[in-house]
Amino acid sequence: VSEPPRASPGQGAEDGQTYEAAAARVEEIIRRLDSGEASLQETLALVSEGKGLIELCAQQLTEVGDALEELRLDELVSRLEHEAGA
Amino acid sequence: MATPATPVRAADEGIPDSGLAGPFAVGEYAAALRSKLRSFARVQLVGELVNLRPSRARVYFELRDATGAVACAAWREDWEAIAARAGEAPAEGMQVVVAGGCDYYPGSSTSSPAFSFAVRDLRVAGEGDLLARIERLRKRLDAEGLLEQQKLLARPLLPRAIGVITGEGGKARDDILAGLRRRGWSGRLVWGFAPVQDRHAAPAIVRALGDLAAAAQVEVLIVARGGGSLADLLCFCDETLCRTVALLGVPVIASVGHHTDRTLLDDVAAVSCSTPTHAAEAAVGVDCARARVEMAAAAARLAGHGRRALQPRAQIAEAAGRVREHGRRAVLSRARLLATLSRAPAAQLDRQRSRLHQQLREIRAGSRRRIADERLLGGRRALVLERKGTSSLHDCRERRPRELAQLSLALAAHDPQRTLERGYALVQALDGKSLASAAAAGQARDLRIRFADGVLPARVTDR
């Protein structure tokens, strides 16, 4: 029996959206807006959605851009156990 | 084996109660050992060529089969002659036949001894049993679908935690860090150090894989080794290791072989890379620095679209603002007007009251003047009346009767009766109208003639 795949690699716990999905949706939104075919209401909705997704992407980029954190496996296990105990 | 000629000094006496000869100086024993080994019959051996290690003067390798192995060495010039004759240099995994005999390098105070089978000639006999076994295992894993399991997993473009299994002191560690730096990635890196060579490697790697995959934060795994011979990489063809990787729920990126030697781990992994640097770049699928720039550009484009979309609304809002301003001004104006109007009645009343008071004062003053005037006039009239009264009384008493008498006399003088009495007659028509001419009398024909004492009818008969 194979180990079940993780729910979604790179998935943000609070938003449920992966970076790749968010980035792809942003590109799709910009293509739609650039086409000039979106109505005013749709444009405003797409801009609002796009801003949210960009914030999400920026947040995830920030999380992997501050400082490299190197851990040994046993250190990670100890930390997780400590967090679980706390 | 013959014993060395000279025993050691008495100070280096042997172990008491030991029945063995010696002790002998090790250098002498090593030299004797080499002589003995070299005395062995020269033979041909067949086996699989592994762990090929060319050096400047000699080429070292091992010859293995399922039951044993022998270390081999060939002089460089002999090896090149063999390669020239075969058309290609013997390679890892080949089944070969070697010709030669035992040899022994006795070493020295600064170098290690080594046994080797001195190869003088070599013939390639086939692909090699080891590679054949690996190939059979590869087909079996493929038939079970295990070569595809990892490739079906979704790999995050931007993992926040990466697990790496590699040798603690190996160069692969630095290469992975360099690859991650090139991606601009600075997330959490969890090292699962394990031996990546020898028979202990595969079980240790399996344990590390399981532990790292169990850490929920690790989103992708890298198994890396900085290259090596096929013999060095045999641990990555371990069946248990390959099955473990195939069934993991976390994508594994393999970087243990190179272009010529492909291990089974390369086949079962989600991605196979030729170097640890490439493995790191494969683990982070996005150039973080460039992605930040692209996201900023996308945000600017979105903001531009938003501004353009809202421009008509802004214009409408501006127009509405102007309308509101106009309205406000109109309301203000009306309010001022109403305030003015609301104040107007009071002012008007004040003005009217003042005017009325003034009029009243004027009327009163006028009245007083009028009364005074009237009183004065009345006095004067009274005086006049009094005077007139006095005069009238005089008239009534004296002048009027006289005047009446005179008038009566005058009137009597004009009385027609008195004329008639003097003999005159008045000719009248029947209707009483006086006829003052003969023509009128003749025309009337029937007449009345009035005398002082009576009236007689008359008719004109002849004119």
Side-chain angles (χ1 to χ4, degrees):
Chain A
V1 178
S2 65
E3 178 181 331
R6 301 273 168 83
S8 177
Q11 179 174 319
E14 65 289 347
D15 44 62
Q17 182 102 33
T18 63
Y19 175 87
E20 48 269 36
R25 177 63 181 150
V26 167
E27 288 184 10
E28 185 182 349
I29 285 172
I30 288 180
R31 277 198 302 274
R32 174 68 179 159
L33 292 174
D34 286 345
S35 72
E37 295 174 353
S39 65
L40 172 62
Q41 190 173 1
E42 185 186 0
T43 297
L44 294 178
L46 289 175
V47 168
S48 175
E49 182 188 358
K51 284 181 178 176
L53 292 172
I54 285 175
E55 284 180 11
L56 173 67
C57 291
Q59 178 189 347
Q60 295 193 13
L61 283 169
T62 300
E63 288 177 8
V64 298
D66 289 340
L68 182 67
E69 180 189 16
E70 290 188 74
L71 291 173
R72 297 177 68 104
L73 177 58
D74 51 353
E75 291 172 332
L76 176 63
V77 171
S78 299
R79 180 177 297 187
L80 293 176
E81 287 175 351
H82 178 72
E83 289 174 358
Chain B
M1 185 172 64
T3 55
T6 54
V8 296
R9 298 188 308 271
D12 298 325
E13 289 179 352
I15 301 169
D17 302 329
S18 172
L20 300 179
F24 306 104
V26 68
E28 291 183 21
Y29 187 85
L33 178 60
R34 180 175 63 181
S35 297
K36 184 64 177 178
L37 288 172
R38 283 181 173 177
S39 70
F40 282 13
R42 296 185 177 278
V43 295
Q44 296 184 58
L45 301 178
V46 61
E48 190 168 330
L49 191 157
V50 296
N51 202 10
L52 184 63
R53 305 183 305 279
S55 70
R56 188 167 55 85
R58 306 189 80 178
V59 175
Y60 299 96
F61 58 95
E62 294 171 18
L63 211 57
R64 293 185 180 183
D65 64 13
T67 56
V70 170
C72 301
W75 290 103
R76 188 91 188 189
E77 57 186 15
D78 292 339
W79 187 262
E80 289 172 355
I82 292 166
R85 189 172 64 245
E88 62 174 346
E92 289 274 345
M94 285 183 171
Q95 191 76 5
V96 296
V97 177
V98 297
C102 292
D103 198 0
Y104 182 75
Y105 172 64
S108 68
S109 60
T110 57
S111 60
S112 300
F115 166 84
S116 65
F117 186 88
V119 175
R120 295 299 174 89
D121 201 357
L122 182 147
R123 180 183 71 83
V124 176
E127 188 185 52
D129 188 54
L130 182 60
L131 289 182
R133 285 203 314 274
I134 292 173
E135 187 56 31
R136 283 196 296 274
L137 179 56
R138 177 181 283 115
K139 288 179 179 173
R140 200 162 65 242
L141 294 174
D142 190 17
E144 294 177 27
L146 296 180
L147 301 187
E148 298 302 319
Q149 290 292 314
Q150 275 276 316
K151 295 168 183 65
L152 297 176
L153 296 177
R155 277 192 303 125
L157 274 181
L158 191 64
R160 278 173 280 192
I162 299 173
V164 181
I165 298 170
T166 190
E168 186 166 7
K171 186 174 178 297
R173 179 179 182 174
D174 296 333
D175 291 345
I176 286 172
L177 288 172
L180 293 176
R181 276 196 300 272
R182 277 164 58 173
R183 283 297 198 201
W185 187 89
S186 301
R188 173 176 288 181
L189 193 60
V190 185
W191 296 105
F193 294 120
V196 288
Q197 184 178 339
D198 73 31
R199 62 190 177 87
H200 302 294
I205 294 170
V206 167
R207 281 195 301 274
L209 279 170
D211 290 344
L212 282 172
Q217 295 176 334
V218 174
E219 297 170 7
V220 63
L221 290 166
I222 298 174
V223 180
R225 188 190 191 285
S229 68
L230 181 60
D232 293 334
L233 303 179
L234 282 178
C235 60
F236 297 108
C237 295
D238 181 83
E239 183 171 358
T240 303
L241 171 61
C242 291
R243 287 183 179 278
T244 300
V245 169
L247 300 179
L248 277 181
V250 181
V252 175
I253 298 172
S255 174
V256 295
H258 42 69
H259 295 298
T260 53
D261 293 323
R262 186 173 180 84
T263 68
L264 284 183
L265 180 63
D266 290 309
D267 292 328
V268 298
V271 181
S272 171
C273 299
S274 57
T275 66
T277 306
H278 290 154
E281 292 177 352
V284 181
V286 59
D287 184 327
C288 297
R290 191 167 62 188
R292 291 183 188 101
V293 173
E294 289 173 351
M295 281 300 156
R301 292 178 70 178
L302 276 180
H305 280 293
R307 278 195 303 274
R308 284 190 291 277
L310 288 175
Q311 209 163 20
R313 178 172 290 190
Q315 290 170 348
I316 291 172
E318 185 183 349
R322 287 201 299 269
V323 169
R324 276 198 302 275
E325 181 62 20
H326 281 300
R328 194 182 66 80
R329 287 176 184 168
V331 168
L332 204 57
S333 173
R334 291 294 176 86
R336 286 172 179 159
L337 178 61
L338 287 174
T340 304
L341 292 175
S342 67
R343 288 193 299 272
Q348 186 72 7
L349 282 176
D350 289 342
R351 283 196 298 274
Q352 290 294 333
R353 187 179 292 115
S354 298
R355 193 168 60 82
L356 288 172
H357 279 295
Q358 180 63 25
Q359 287 178 346
L360 187 58
R361 282 193 296 274
E362 290 174 356
I363 288 170
R364 283 175 177 167
S367 298
R368 282 194 296 273
R369 284 196 302 274
R370 187 72 175 271
I371 289 170
D373 291 345
E374 289 294 327
R375 185 175 295 157
L376 183 59
L377 185 59
R380 287 176 182 171
R381 283 179 177 168
L383 184 58
V384 170
L385 286 174
E386 184 181 356
R387 287 177 180 171
K388 284 185 177 178
T390 304
S391 176
S392 296
L393 187 59
H394 173 75
D395 287 347
C396 289
R397 286 180 180 172
E398 296 182 7
R399 192 172 54 89
R400 287 289 176 87
R402 191 171 54 250
E403 288 176 354
L404 285 173
Q406 290 172 354
L407 287 172
S408 177
L409 289 175
L411 186 61
H414 289 86
D415 188 358
Q417 189 64 32
R418 289 189 67 180
T419 304
L420 294 178
E421 286 175 353
R422 284 194 318 261
Y424 294 90
L426 180 61
V427 178
Q428 293 178 311
L430 294 179
D431 59 357
K433 186 176 178 182
S434 297
L435 300 173
S437 63
Q443 193 173 3
R445 290 186 69 92
D446 291 322
L447 304 172
R448 291 172 60 192
I449 300 171
R450 182 179 183 98
F451 298 98
D453 57 349
V455 178
L456 291 174
R459 174 171 288 181
V460 179
T461 60
D462 187 11
R463 287 183 298 177

